[in-house]
Amino acid sequence: MKNIQIRPQAASLRSRLMSICFREGLKADPNALDQLCASTRSDMRQMLNILSTWKLSNDTMTYDQGKQL
């Protein structure tokens, strides 16, 4: 039996990440979060790690900053 991993769609990830960012006081551009989803191949653990590290020194994330990550 194969172990198949199904990754959530980008829209649902973006919605969840927006909620987390709001609770943590990080203002993130939705397009930046889309870029983050694409670059991590929808790996939620990796996205949360990146966002928590980013929040240590920043309170906002623009699209360009998200693209650089």
Side-chain angles (χ1 to χ4, degrees):
M1 180 177 248
K2 287 186 174 183
N3 185 8
I4 299 173
Q5 291 182 337
I6 299 173
R7 300 211 184 249
Q9 292 181 352
S12 62
L13 284 174
R14 179 182 56 241
S15 175
R16 186 68 182 138
L17 290 173
M18 290 295 290
S19 296
I20 292 168
C21 288
F22 176 77
R23 289 182 193 169
E24 297 298 321
L26 176 65
K27 293 181 182 176
D29 183 332
N31 292 325
L33 297 178
D34 285 341
Q35 197 64 35
L36 199 57
C37 289
S39 66
T40 61
R41 295 177 17 178
S42 299
D43 184 344
M44 182 59 100
R45 293 172 298 169
Q46 189 175 4
M47 288 183 279
L48 291 174
N49 187 22
I50 290 169
L51 288 173
S52 66
T53 303
W54 183 263
K55 177 65 175 123
L56 292 174
S57 59
N58 300 286
D59 288 329
T60 61
M61 179 185 289
T62 65
Y63 172 73
D64 290 332
Q65 291 168 330
K67 191 173 180 180
Q68 288 176 351
L69 290 174

